[in-house]
Amino acid sequence: MSVFQAEAFVVGLKEGTKVAFAYLFVRAYLDSCNKKYLLRFLWAAFFIVFTVSLFSLKFPDAPQTKDLLTKAVGYNFALLYMLSLGLLYSKTGVDIWGPLKALFRKRFIEVLILILLVTVFALPDLSATVVYTKSQVRLKESILPALNLLMALLIAFCLFYLFLRKKTSFLSKMVELPELILVLALIKLAGGGTGGFANLSLIPTVQNGLTKLIHDIVHQTFITIMVPDHPILKTTTWNFIGIFFSQKVALWISLVVLFLPLGAFLISYLNKPIEVPEEIELPARRRKFIRSVKNRRLLHTMPVVLFMFFILSNWFVEKGQEGLRLYNPEPQPLVAESDRVIIPISSPGTDLRDGLVHKYTVEIDGENIRFLIIKRDDGTLVACLDACEICPPDGYAQAEGHMVCLYCRTPINIQSLGKAGGCNPIPLKALVTDKDVQIKVSELLEKWNLVKTGKSKVTIKR
Amino acid sequence: MKTVLKNIYNLLGSKALTFWMIGLFIFYYLTVAVWSKEAFGRFIQYISSNNLARALYIIFFVNVTLRIIKSLYGLKNRPGRLLLRLPLFLGIVLFLFSSFMSVNTRQSKWELLGEGDLLVLPWESLKFRVVRIESALKRDLLRMDDSLLFDYEPFITLIDTGGRQYRIGAFPPKKAGTTYMHILNFGLAPGVELRRDGKTLLKGEVALRLVPFGSVDSFELKGFNYTVYLHILPNRIIRRGQEVARNYDITAPLYQVEVLKGETTVFRGTSKQPILFDGYELVLYPPTFWVLLEVAHDPFYMAFIVALGLLIVGVVPFLISFLHKKAKA
């Protein structure tokens, strides 16, 4: 079995497991609240969503499509997570729904919500899998990866279903609606990656989103208290400020942001006063009742604890390393051919798809223009100038999992390369063929001018 | 009428409203951050310009304030706990208030200044003149590959119309009159003179981004169709084994100069030699310094700083009080 086929098989297993787990938990929930009639709607909704996802075969097999679908998967995970938080919050005794509560009990609304949930949960993931399979089939020029994926999907689903279907009575004790939604969010988090082996879980996407939020808040606070955001300060002050912008601090704060509402729920839910019905008079029975409520509550907190445990055990695996070793290769000189520079994807000793940054320099009209090419997490190649619009053009180096601006030490998410603005390297329009990457000379010159002539520069006239 | 007012009061002070307001913000942030970009920047822009966003923010602020007042009122018989929670609660209210007011009332500008320049600000009755700029670089400096960008924090000394002097650095900002000021950037401004037949056609200093050394910057000779590209070269290079040190004398820098007419290079060389082209002579003089000064008129600046302080200081006593309560329960 080739790597392509093995990858397709693993993706199939992952998707099958996701669907099986989700189905089992939903079924357990429907069992527990005597709403088995919704099962047929669940299957119908899943069938519709599956059919709709097949339309994504019509999507172009382009990085933009994959980017869009990755965003959709991440977005829907966040929606499910937020919804579960809201429901958990209401479970602590706060009435957040008000008059809407009566509306939710109507059958029609229940079915509608179920269809919506299935769509939110499954549509982007299924579409991403369809697009992934399509690209594998195209790359391999064979239907085998698709067959492998389908086979693995069915195997995983059947195995997990057969193995776990007897456990639904236990599961039904564990999940009410908030826990169910949280479990669905967890399933997406664990297996929502859309990039094959390179990206099986959604953890990096969630980390990037949260660290960006933390960075934005810190930056806005610094703007308000008028701290310069470039190293004009004394080194000690700058290093102190750098702590707040560091990836590690952002990761810790992100973890707190994720854990805080769940932790608050656990404290609040487990400490919620227990009201013993008046008709239970015997102290022994009252104690028994209290014990049973406490046990039930403990069972209900299991999915929350599981969610927290999963995040905690994965959070620092990829990005929690201590020392930052920078990889900054010497730029290789290139010569422009007619109106463009051409860089072969694979040449003796070099492969642009090796995940390392590749730097080049080309002399055009007496200018030495530096640029870089790197493979992003989604497998696409991206070309950028080795400079941004803000800092002096010191360039970038590669650290563990991200790029670093050598001037201001800002960490740049590799997946965000190709997007303009801020401290991101200036993106270059490049034609990526099967054999090479081609960049027009005019494009290089135009973008290099952005580096040379700072936009904010003004001359003092006397 | 009384019932309606009471209902409004209850709604404004409810946990459910806090939940929905926070939920709304997260939904907004999530949607914009994923499908568009710069969600937080846009949020700040909205609360400074959009009335709907302002109204929602004010509702949230009132909600939080009412809940905090209720919570503190509930602790009136427990002075210890009240005291422990007060700093954080005050910090939250002050933070929400001052950040909103600051965003809505702040006027700010970036001013590029050289020695002798006059700083006139629309909101300030005082005028300021730049008396002195203290360099961030040593006069004669040796640079290794891993050297710091600047050797010192730069300072600018201003004098106002009343004769008061202000020495302003990069951080923290200093108050001059009603304005907060601090340095955002520092650079060199080479003296430039364009001559023809011994006659001066242009003369002045040009603020350029030549630091870190090696950075190329350019300026145009106004009225003449020439663009001059400059970067600073080391006056001396010292090699010892693998180590390379570059010596720069910023009182007499050595420039790499390139003069372009349209797209044609008419001169390329260093400033050691006379810069002659098309009958013109370009003379470069020792540079002066420029700073980029950020000036802001913000009546709520101090309140924001105090709020941040209270938030940081208030977390620990709040946690102590919270854990103590839980332990008791």
Side-chain angles (χ1 to χ4, degrees), chain A residues 13 33 76 79 84 110 160 215 227 271 276 283 287 294 304 317-318 345 359 370 373 378 382 388 401 435 458:
Chain A
L13 279 181
C33 59
N76 288 5
L79 286 183
S84 71
E110 279 179 347
F160 276 87
H215 191 277
V227 177
N271 290 311
V276 185
R287 281 199 298 276
K294 280 188 175 172
V304 180
V317 171
E318 287 181 48
I345 288 180
K359 289 194 177 186
R370 284 194 330 269
I373 299 178
D378 62 5
V382 62
C388 74
K435 291 176 188 165
V458 187

Side-chain angles (χ1 to χ4, degrees), chain A residues 378-451:
Chain A
D378 62 5
T380 53
L381 291 172
V382 62
C384 304
L385 284 185
D386 191 22
C388 74
E389 286 181 55
I390 300 177
C391 304
D394 282 14
Y396 295 82
Q398 189 175 13
E400 296 282 354
H402 58 274
M403 302 294 289
V404 176
C405 169
L406 291 171
Y407 177 71
C408 71
R409 296 275 152 182
T410 299
I412 314 285
N413 174 11
I414 291 177
Q415 193 56 33
S416 78
L417 295 189
K419 290 175 185 167
C423 208
N424 265 27
I426 298 169
L428 291 168
K429 283 181 201 146
L431 176 68
V432 182
T433 68
D434 291 348
K435 291 176 188 165
D436 51 36
V437 178
Q438 301 179 13
I439 307 167
K440 283 192 174 170
V441 166
S442 56
E443 168 75 1
L444 283 163
L445 268 175
E446 183 193 330
K447 296 291 168 64
W448 190 248
N449 274 333
L450 291 174
V451 180

Side-chain angles (χ1 to χ4, degrees), chain A residues 108-127:
Chain A
F108 168 69
I109 300 288
E110 279 179 347
V111 172
L112 210 66
I113 290 174
L114 182 83
I115 293 171
L116 200 69
L117 267 179
V118 173
T119 310
V120 166
F121 179 79
L123 187 59
D125 297 56
L126 285 174
S127 305

Side-chain angles (χ1 to χ4, degrees), chain B residues 211-249:
Chain B
V211 183
F213 299 121
S215 304
V216 180
D217 207 347
S218 65
F219 61 94
E220 281 173 18
L221 296 170
K222 293 264 158 87
F224 303 84
N225 187 21
Y226 293 104
T227 310
V228 182
Y229 288 87
L230 280 185
H231 70 263
I232 295 180
L233 297 169
N235 296 69
R236 211 153 49 96
I237 296 177
I238 305 151
R239 286 180 204 276
R240 278 209 189 124
Q242 294 277 316
E243 294 289 320
V244 180
R246 295 172 183 85
N247 178 249
Y248 296 91
D249 179 1

Side-chain angles (χ1 to χ4, degrees), chain A residues 145-443:
Chain A
L147 290 177
N148 269 337
L149 189 139
L150 264 178
M151 191 170 66
L153 198 142
L154 284 173
I155 290 172
F157 183 78
C158 294
L159 276 179
F160 276 87
Y161 179 73
L162 288 174
F163 183 67
L164 289 169
R165 71 186 167 135
K166 301 279 183 207
K167 314 281 182 195
T168 50
S169 59
F170 171 71
L171 292 180
S172 57
K173 284 180 196 158
M174 215 161 67
V175 288
E176 286 182 336
L177 189 60
E179 290 83 11
L180 172 71
I181 307 288
L182 191 67
V183 166
L184 293 181
L186 176 60
I187 293 170
K188 269 184 106 69
L189 183 69
T194 56
F197 280 147
N199 193 5
L200 286 171
S201 91
L202 266 187
I203 292 261
T205 315
V206 175
Q207 279 180 341
N208 291 337
L210 278 171
T211 47
K212 171 87 171 74
L213 170 68
I214 307 296
H215 191 277
D216 282 353
I217 292 173
V218 171
H219 194 243
Q220 183 59 39
T221 308
F222 279 12
I223 286 175
T224 311
I225 61 175
M226 298 171 80
V227 177
D229 60 357
H230 275 85
I232 191 88
L233 297 157
K234 286 171 195 148
T235 315
T236 41
T237 321
W238 181 248
N239 288 344
F240 177 70
I241 288 166
I243 293 171
F244 293 97
F245 282 110
S246 73
Q247 186 74 357
K248 201 169 181 186
V249 169
L251 275 180
W252 274 103
I253 299 177
S254 313
L255 193 64
V256 171
V257 168
L258 270 178
F259 274 19
L260 204 63
L262 294 173
F265 162 75
L266 288 181
I267 292 171
S268 176
Y269 184 60
L270 291 175
N271 290 311
K272 200 169 95 173
I274 299 168
E275 286 173 21
V276 185
E278 281 179 13
E279 54 267 26
I280 304 176
E281 289 174 354
L282 282 174
R285 286 199 171 175
R286 291 178 75 86
R287 281 199 298 276
K288 201 176 166 189
F289 177 81
I290 291 171
R291 175 53 41 203
S292 72
V293 173
K294 280 188 175 172
N295 285 343
R296 201 169 61 236
R297 284 186 186 175
L298 271 178
L299 267 178
H300 285 170
T301 57
M302 292 272 282
V304 180
V305 175
L306 188 71
F307 186 91
M308 292 170 86
F309 178 75
F310 177 79
I311 290 180
L312 197 62
S313 55
N314 284 280
W315 201 247
F316 296 102
V317 171
E318 287 181 48
K319 297 194 172 176
Q321 283 98 352
E322 267 290 331
L324 253 189
R325 278 185 303 160
L326 296 179
Y327 172 65
N328 187 15
E330 199 60 36
Q332 294 175 34
L334 290 174
V335 179
E337 293 171 25
S338 64
D339 67 334
R340 59 192 63 208
V341 287
I342 299 170
I343 308 105
I345 288 180
S346 185
S347 56
T350 311
D351 190 334
L352 296 183
R353 296 159 300 188
D354 58 8
L356 296 172
V357 65
H358 297 268
K359 289 194 177 186
Y360 299 95
T361 174
V362 56
E363 192 176 332
I364 303 170
D365 295 347
E367 295 282 349
N368 271 317
I369 299 174
R370 284 194 330 269
F371 64 96
L372 57 90
I373 299 178
I374 190 169
K375 189 181 88 166
R376 288 190 293 206
D377 299 342
D378 62 5
T380 53
L381 291 172
V382 62
C384 304
L385 284 185
D386 191 22
C388 74
E389 286 181 55
I390 300 177
C391 304
D394 282 14
Y396 295 82
Q398 189 175 13
E400 296 282 354
H402 58 274
M403 302 294 289
V404 176
C405 169
L406 291 171
Y407 177 71
C408 71
R409 296 275 152 182
T410 299
I412 314 285
N413 174 11
I414 291 177
Q415 193 56 33
S416 78
L417 295 189
K419 290 175 185 167
C423 208
N424 265 27
I426 298 169
L428 291 168
K429 283 181 201 146
L431 176 68
V432 182
T433 68
D434 291 348
K435 291 176 188 165
D436 51 36
V437 178
Q438 301 179 13
I439 307 167
K440 283 192 174 170
V441 166
S442 56
E443 168 75 1

